[in-house]
Amino acid sequence: MRVTFIIPAYNEARTIDEVLNKVAALGLDRQVIVVDDGSVDGTGDLAEKHEGVLVLRQPNQGKGAAIRAAVPHADGDITVIQDADMEYDPAEVPALIEPIERGLADVVYGSRLAGGKPQRAYLFWHLMGNRFLSFVTGVLFNTTLSDMETGYKAFRTEVLRSLDLRESDFAIEPEITGRICKQKLRIYELPISYYGRTYAEGKKITWRDGFKAIWVLVRVRFT
Ligand SMILES: Nc1nc2c(ncn2[C@@H]2O[C@H](COP(=O)(O)OP(=O)(O)OP(=O)(O)O)[C@@H](O)[C@H]2O)c(=O)[nH]1
Ligand SMILES: [Mg+2]
């Protein structure tokens, strides 16, 4: 099966080469789309040096807008969202997409909270926040997802295309989660590793995104 990698990348010059090399090393039939909206560190130029990588550029609008810009270009059977910061290791993609390849799943989430894989021990309140948001997701949608905020999400491309996404910032994560839960799709999760970085290292999500996530989940559930 052909796999489309959507890589939102904003000022990720330090890691974009490594991510693209690791994606290429998987040897999958693949399409790679990097969306660089206004990086000032040359991220997009670095990405363009990699053979066969499509680089989309637009004014900076956030991770959600970057994903939405890439979806119409996706031509794979499966689409994986791959962050550009090496917090999520491309070597785990084959395991992530396996339930879809086997025809058992429409969507697979890589969970940082399911245990059994290396997790950076830090940022206690982030952990609490992610557990709480996943708890709220369970209550609202009667699902057992343990990490709805995870960056590692794989879809049958058809399903991703059908979601009618509107959020432009990190609220894209709860929006995707809410919409797939509402559609009664076959959703799976499996443990993945998380090599977390600090804010000094370029992490961008904040507590404000956490509060907004609750609102977005509620809105998607009841509208
Ligand atoms: N194109 C684009 N990509 C973005 C933007 N904001 C974040 N990203 C990308 O989205 C991915 C996740 O952003 P991070 O800052 O790593 O978010 P995080 O706080 O680490 O959160 P998670 O990794 O999702 O747990 C990275 O690849 C970022 O480069 C943006 O405004 N535009
Ligand atoms: Mg990250």
Side-chain angles (χ1 to χ4, degrees):
M1 280 185 162
R2 184 168 166 85
V3 182
T4 296
F5 291 83
I6 294 180
I7 309 184
Y10 184 62
N11 289 336
E12 305 289 9
R14 273 193 286 190
T15 47
I16 188 75
D17 282 325
E18 188 181 358
V19 169
L20 291 172
N21 289 336
K22 289 203 159 181
V23 166
L26 296 174
L28 297 168
D29 174 15
R30 70 184 178 279
Q31 175 195 31
V32 181
I33 307 173
V34 172
V35 188
D36 173 7
D37 47 359
S39 293
V40 293
D41 67 353
T43 297
D45 302 334
L46 289 172
E48 260 161 8
K49 295 201 177 101
H50 291 253
E51 209 187 304
V53 172
L54 172 64
V55 179
L56 304 178
R57 299 181 192 251
Q58 58 184 15
N60 185 252
Q61 295 168 81
K63 182 178 184 180
I67 292 170
R68 290 193 291 110
V71 170
H73 296 269
D75 69 4
D77 306 292
I78 298 172
T79 297
V80 175
I81 298 174
Q82 169 71 56
D83 282 1
D85 56 0
M86 279 306 296
E87 287 187 322
Y88 301 90
D89 185 350
E92 297 186 354
V93 167
L96 190 72
I97 63 176
E98 198 208 43
I100 302 179
E101 288 179 320
R102 290 176 61 193
L104 299 173
D106 299 306
V107 181
V108 182
Y109 274 33
S111 174
R112 299 164 293 180
L113 302 175
K117 292 276 181 152
Q119 308 292 325
R120 184 162 182 178
Y122 77 147
L123 297 180
F124 172 78
W125 292 108
H126 273 249
L127 172 62
M128 290 303 116
N130 282 330
R131 278 195 191 146
F132 181 70
L133 290 174
S134 297
F135 171 79
V136 170
T137 301
V139 170
L140 288 173
F141 298 99
N142 188 25
T143 181
T144 57
L145 284 172
S146 63
D147 185 12
M148 79 87 187
E149 280 279 5
T150 180
Y152 249 162
K153 296 177 165 80
F155 310 84
R156 285 203 301 116
T157 300
E158 215 175 291
V159 163
L160 180 59
R161 243 186 245 122
S162 76
L163 293 183
D164 185 28
L165 301 171
R166 288 153 194 221
E167 297 294 337
S168 289
D169 54 15
F170 287 112
I172 195 78
E173 312 288 4
E175 188 182 33
I176 289 173
T177 301
R179 294 208 188 281
I180 58 165
C181 288
K182 246 186 137 164
Q183 280 203 27
K184 309 279 178 224
L185 298 164
R186 297 167 302 165
I187 304 169
Y188 279 73
E189 69 169 24
L190 55 84
I192 45 114
S193 316
Y194 187 65
Y195 303 95
R197 61 179 175 170
T198 63
Y199 285 95
E201 289 159 347
K203 199 172 178 65
K204 296 170 193 77
I205 209 162
T206 72
W207 59 270
R208 282 190 203 88
D209 297 297
F211 283 103
K212 186 168 177 192
I214 298 173
W215 156 243
V216 171
L217 287 169
V218 170
R219 197 194 67 211
V220 171
R221 170 67 181 78
F222 294 105
T223 57

